[in-house]
Amino acid sequence: MKKVYLTVLFLSLLLLLCACRVRTTLIEPEITAPVTPVKSSAAVSPEPEQLPEEQPPQQEQLPEEQPPEPEQLPEEQPPEPENPQDEAVNPDAPSQQDETSERREFSPDADGELTPDAETPLYAPADEGTAAPAPTAGDGEPVNVEAEHAEQTATETVPSDEAEQLGVDESGETAESVQTYYLTLLADRVGDLFECKRLYVYWETDEDHRTVHKSSLEHQLILGAGAYDVSAKLLEENLTVDDGWVSRKNPDVVVKVVDGGALDIGAAQALCEELSARSDWAGITAIRERRVLVLSHRLLDTQAGQTAAMVYLAKLMYPTQMEDVDADEALRALTEEGSGSAYSGAYSYAM
């Protein structure tokens, strides 16, 4: 009976628990800070914190501005020609070989050939011993002609400023002209002198203390005679010099030109003495070794006279190389060939 009672009680409690709802709420625990004991007002108050002194802001150091480097532009290349004709117009264009172009063959056994566009005028002598003048076109330029009786010989004509570049065959017995003979003689005798053997010349015009410029005819005559010009470095506005300048240059030869035709020998001698007596001239080499040459200005008027002047000057400067040359005979032959009549009288005097 007791067991039954307990069983019924247990079931009743179980039913009661099922019928009731139990709600549980979790409460967070309060966090309490530790209690700090409070001192009395009589206690010393803490000193206020000292803030650090404010430093003035430092200016930022900007890097120095560098000047911008100039841009190097690429070199402009010349435009390539669009067609082959442009290359012919441009002289700097590279040459190209045309495989289809016509080839010219020359036989070593050929007697000779005369082309219409030849630059060197050729003509044949008309008679033996005389040379006919070269035919000229309407504008005065030589033209090319061919003579049936000329065989294979011809005479070349060139401007006077190129004449000194000509020579004759060493095996030949005669020259084509007197002019060519003496120009070739000068080139052979004094043209290949060593630099240390060449003399220095002071050339004075018919105006006292007036020398010549390097672009002048007189300068070329000095070079053609195998010498150097002491005034070669002077400017055109500084050609009037003084005795001190000539003394410092110490020329080996003095050439004085006088106006007029044939010289008066007595006047030429007096002129040489006057030049020797100039201030500061007594010590220069030309006066000490008595190498003073007086020339007539008439020699400078023609090509024949200019060649004769070079012969006179070369014979005075280099007597060993020109020992067998008669300068007076050279003047006679040159002027006779050039104008048909030889100069008479003296046109040069050496002290």
Side-chain angles (χ1 to χ4, degrees):
M1 188 65 181
K2 187 178 180 179
K3 294 182 179 181
V4 173
Y5 177 76
L6 289 175
T7 301
V8 172
L9 181 59
F10 177 77
L11 294 173
S12 299
L13 290 174
L14 181 60
L15 293 172
L16 182 60
L17 290 173
C18 294
C20 297
R21 295 181 178 177
V22 179
R23 184 176 182 180
T24 304
T25 304
L26 297 178
I27 301 175
E28 297 181 357
E30 296 181 1
I31 300 175
T32 58
V35 179
T36 302
V38 179
K39 295 183 179 181
S40 62
S41 60
V44 180
S45 61
E47 295 180 359
E49 296 181 359
Q50 296 182 356
L51 299 176
E53 296 181 0
E54 295 182 359
Q55 299 293 336
Q58 297 182 355
Q59 297 181 354
E60 296 182 0
Q61 297 181 356
L62 300 177
E64 296 181 358
E65 295 182 359
Q66 300 294 335
E69 298 182 356
E71 297 181 0
Q72 297 183 354
L73 299 177
E75 297 182 357
E76 296 183 358
Q77 300 294 335
E80 298 182 356
E82 298 180 357
N83 52 66
Q85 295 181 352
D86 294 340
E87 295 184 359
V89 176
N90 184 7
D92 299 328
S95 301
Q96 295 183 0
Q97 183 175 3
D98 186 3
E99 300 296 337
T100 61
S101 61
E102 182 182 355
R103 299 293 190 270
R104 293 185 178 182
E105 297 182 357
F106 299 91
S107 174
D109 301 329
D111 294 336
E113 181 179 3
L114 185 65
T115 57
D117 55 349
E119 297 180 358
T120 304
L122 301 176
Y123 65 94
D127 298 323
E128 294 183 0
T130 60
T136 57
D139 53 357
E141 296 182 357
V143 297
N144 300 315
V145 296
E146 184 179 13
E148 297 178 356
H149 61 280
E151 297 181 354
Q152 297 181 15
T153 61
T155 302
E156 181 181 1
T157 59
V158 296
S160 59
D161 57 347
E162 298 178 7
E164 62 183 31
Q165 304 298 329
L166 293 179
V168 296
D169 187 1
E170 296 180 356
S171 61
E173 297 181 356
T174 59
E176 296 175 351
S177 65
V178 177
Q179 178 78 15
T180 303
Y181 171 79
Y182 280 104
L183 290 175
T184 305
L185 183 144
L186 288 170
D188 290 342
R189 301 289 180 88
V190 299
D192 56 353
L193 290 174
F194 291 109
E195 302 296 323
C196 60
K197 297 294 184 179
R198 296 179 182 270
L199 302 184
Y200 284 84
V201 175
Y202 166 66
W203 188 295
E204 185 172 293
T205 63
D206 53 358
E207 179 183 350
D208 288 346
H209 297 93
R210 181 75 176 178
T211 186
V212 294
H213 189 252
K214 63 182 179 181
S215 62
S216 65
L217 168 66
E218 294 85 348
H219 177 81
Q220 297 301 323
L221 298 182
I222 294 173
L223 300 181
Y228 292 128
D229 183 4
V230 296
S231 61
K233 295 184 179 180
L234 292 180
L235 301 177
E236 290 188 272
E237 59 269 20
N238 298 332
L239 297 180
T240 300
V241 298
D242 53 25
D243 293 335
W245 182 89
V246 178
S247 177
R248 290 190 297 273
K249 289 298 182 180
N250 190 23
D252 301 296
V253 182
V254 170
V255 176
K256 175 63 178 178
V257 177
V258 294
D259 196 11
L263 299 178
D264 182 340
I265 300 301
Q269 291 176 346
L271 179 58
C272 289
E273 296 300 328
E274 179 185 342
L275 294 174
S276 302
R278 283 185 177 179
S279 175
D280 300 329
W281 275 38
I284 66 177
T285 305
I287 302 300
R288 288 190 290 104
E289 299 186 3
R290 301 183 63 83
R291 283 197 293 259
V292 179
L293 181 65
V294 179
L295 294 178
S296 170
H297 192 279
R298 188 180 179 186
L299 294 179
L300 307 181
D301 295 337
T302 62
Q303 183 180 356
Q306 296 163 14
T307 304
M310 287 191 290
V311 174
Y312 278 118
L313 181 56
K315 187 171 180 63
L316 175 64
M317 294 187 296
Y318 312 111
T320 302
Q321 287 81 357
M322 305 288 290
E323 182 178 5
D324 59 337
V325 178
D326 187 341
D328 292 331
E329 173 61 23
L331 174 63
R332 186 202 64 78
L334 287 165
T335 53
E336 184 177 10
E337 180 188 62
S339 61
S341 61
Y343 285 3
S344 60
Y347 290 82
S348 171
Y349 175 80
M351 186 173 72

